[in-house]
Amino acid sequence: MKKIIIISALVLGGVFAIMQLFRPKIQNPPVTHDFTAPPQVKSILVRACYDCHSNETNLRWYDQIQPIYSTVSNHIKDGRKVLNFSEWDKLAKPDQKAKLWESVNQIEQGAMPIASYSFVHQDSHVSAQDLLILKNYLQGMVKRDIGDTSKLNDLQKQYHSNAGSDETLPKSLNGITYIPDYKNWQVISTSERFDNGTLRIIYGNDIAVKAVRSHNINPWPDGTIFAKAAWDELEDKDGNVKTGAFKQVEYMIKDSKRFSKTNGWGFARFKTPKLVPYGKTILFTQECINCHKPMSDNDLVFTFPIKN
Amino acid sequence: MKSHSTIFIAVLFLFSCGPTKQKEELINTKASIPETFDISGKNLKVITTMLNRHDSTTSLLYGNEIAYQSAMQHLKKPSLGEKFTLVTWKQQCDKHWFGANIPGDLLAVEILEVGNNQQKTELHYRKLLGKSLTPVSDTLGASDRVNFIISQEASLTP
């Protein structure tokens, strides 16, 4: 018995030693344009996010041991692809803002930092106090454009353009065709997004409405379709906010077989009245999944539906 | 003993902070419209959504086909046969997205119907208050509300 234990330990030790020889190289490419923010905000993000979301990865001694090393390496590779604070200038200004809001939401919902990572890297933990600092920072970025004439002009331009009159319906790269009928559907909810100054209506098809009525929404049944339309906010001096220029319509289509690779949901977004499909390659859906991931216990749906 | 109880509390905390979303109430019951009103069954179309920053309220304007077409054409005057339904909620923070406000408590449902009596346009306005949709008999401010509803333009939907 003792012999077996010794042999097993030797074999395991050997495997462990051989594993150390295989190490994908983790490089720190040059920092092209580092993200800037007030020191207390920056220090939280550096501590909690920079190891995987910057070119300034700081590997601890225990990160260097395989198999941890490979896991950490994958985290860094994936992390930099989604968000890289060291190449901040590669994002357009509105995208920078959107990324920050998304990041703080990922933290608030507990999706980031990844649990296995923060378990080992205790210093990456974002406390309630840290979160408050981050949220206050974002709140300070909210700008209200009262009586904004340029937004009014954008709407007028859209009224007078013939965009969208083409008979062929646009199609997104994952094969989802624009569904014009959403305008005849019922409303699942509305939403004011003060992070990006838009008003939204979330429409649901009959299957979605019935699912809400029967509390059958986790998971949502196959055939469910949501259409979320977004417009600019137009605010007057009395605080009345109405819809301005049309920004986009986004769909979520539940079909567990057809969209099995994207957790049963087909995602699509069509922008401006010209209904330009979003995404340069079919991999755009990964972006959708990443953002919706914190809702994995809610079948990836953010909306709290209104029963009506 | 003290360290034991600390560990016990820590373990308890660990489990109590586990995923609780399975039990989370995902339906927005606060904002839900009573089934007896059956807004989904009325075949109404959504005209637009709006909010008031000072009151922290958000509204959704529905209309029948005639009302929808008038709002699309920005007519802003009553036309025979129009039926509008304006639902207003208090806003609440969206627990799923910091940066969003969503409908909270149902405050009111206002209904405007444009009829005629001996070729004279008649406006029938009703207001139902709160979750119980209690009819309001006081008509003070009704004409302002009628003008507000009639003046809304449809959201641009390509």
Side-chain angles (χ1 to χ4, degrees), chain A residues 105 109 178 183-184 187 190 192 194-195 199 213 231 235 238-241 243 294 298 302 304-305 307-308, chain B residues 21 26 28 32-33 38 40 45-46 51-54 91 95-101 103 155-156 158:
Chain A
N105 269 292
Q109 297 294 334
Y178 170 72
K183 288 160 265 186
N184 299 318
V187 172
T190 60
E192 179 210 2
F194 59 85
D195 54 345
L199 288 182
R213 281 197 166 191
W231 299 268
E235 181 169 352
D238 298 322
N240 291 306
V241 184
T243 57
N298 310 336
F302 281 102
F304 288 98
K307 210 164 150 185
N308 58 38
Chain B
K21 285 184 179 168
L26 294 173
N28 189 347
S32 293
I33 302 164
D38 191 28
S40 300
K45 284 180 110 164
V46 176
L51 59 93
N52 187 284
R53 194 81 72 192
H54 301 324
Q91 284 187 302
K95 276 196 286 175
H96 285 167
W97 189 267
F98 169 64
N101 290 319
S155 294
L156 201 139

Side-chain angles (χ1 to χ4, degrees), chain B residues 96-136:
Chain B
H96 285 167
W97 189 267
F98 169 64
N101 290 319
I102 56 171
D105 286 321
L106 176 65
L107 295 180
V109 174
E110 293 163 273
I111 299 152
L112 175 65
E113 294 178 1
V114 184
N116 75 347
N117 187 9
Q118 294 172 343
Q119 295 183 338
K120 213 177 141 201
T121 303
E122 269 194 350
L123 299 167
H124 304 283
Y125 169 82
R126 289 184 291 142
K127 187 172 188 176
L128 311 170
L129 266 191
K131 194 81 181 161
S132 57
L133 297 180
T134 311
V136 178

Side-chain angles (χ1 to χ4, degrees), chain A residues 28-241:
Chain A
N28 272 339
V31 177
T32 58
H33 191 288
D34 192 23
F35 164 74
T36 52
Q40 52 175 356
V41 173
K42 180 81 185 273
S43 68
I44 298 166
L45 295 178
V46 168
R47 186 168 46 74
C49 318
Y50 265 49
D51 274 341
C52 297
H53 294 287
S54 82
N55 296 343
E56 297 180 86
T57 301
N58 170 28
L59 289 183
R60 284 39 152 214
W61 66 266
Y62 45 83
D63 293 324
Q64 316 267 1
I65 303 166
Q66 284 283 35
I68 297 169
Y69 185 83
S70 286
T71 311
V72 169
S73 167
N74 284 335
H75 280 174
I76 295 165
K77 209 172 88 193
D78 295 343
R80 284 178 182 165
K81 228 186 277 173
V82 174
L83 165 71
N84 191 335
F85 285 109
S86 299
E87 296 173 9
W88 200 236
D89 55 338
K90 285 192 179 165
L91 290 174
K93 283 263 183 278
D95 294 338
Q96 290 177 349
K97 216 172 118 189
K99 270 286 173 203
L100 284 178
W101 283 87
E102 187 190 329
S103 305
V104 173
N105 269 292
Q106 295 256 347
I107 295 171
E108 183 168 46
Q109 297 294 334
M112 280 289 156
I114 296 171
S116 60
Y117 174 81
S118 54
F119 180 75
V120 180
H121 302 81
Q122 288 291 317
D123 55 337
S124 70
H125 176 71
V126 179
S127 69
Q129 180 61 25
D130 292 338
L131 190 58
L132 203 63
I133 292 170
L134 296 176
K135 286 166 91 171
N136 282 339
Y137 169 63
L138 292 185
Q139 283 278 12
M141 292 166 88
V142 174
K143 204 167 100 263
R144 282 169 60 194
D145 302 316
I146 298 166
D148 188 332
T149 46
S150 69
K151 279 190 174 177
L152 208 58
N153 290 340
D154 288 347
L155 176 62
Q156 290 308 320
K157 259 187 235 162
Q158 288 192 353
Y159 275 140
H160 296 112
S161 76
N162 291 320
S165 56
D166 189 356
E167 298 261 313
T168 46
L169 297 174
K171 205 180 206 180
S172 71
L173 286 163
N174 54 343
I176 294 175
T177 305
Y178 170 72
I179 310 163
D181 197 39
Y182 75 89
K183 288 160 265 186
N184 299 318
W185 296 351
Q186 292 301 312
V187 172
I188 293 292
S189 186
T190 60
S191 170
E192 179 210 2
R193 287 284 298 272
F194 59 85
D195 54 345
N196 57 21
T198 56
L199 288 182
R200 294 168 180 227
I201 295 178
I202 301 107
Y203 302 82
N205 67 352
D206 280 351
I207 296 175
V209 172
K210 274 185 199 141
V212 178
R213 281 197 166 191
S214 56
H215 290 239
N216 177 30
I217 62 163
N218 198 9
W220 289 83
D222 268 12
T224 295
I225 310 179
F226 302 120
K228 182 166 26 170
W231 299 268
D232 266 342
E233 285 186 330
L234 285 183
E235 181 169 352
D236 69 14
K237 57 180 177 27
D238 298 322
N240 291 306
V241 184

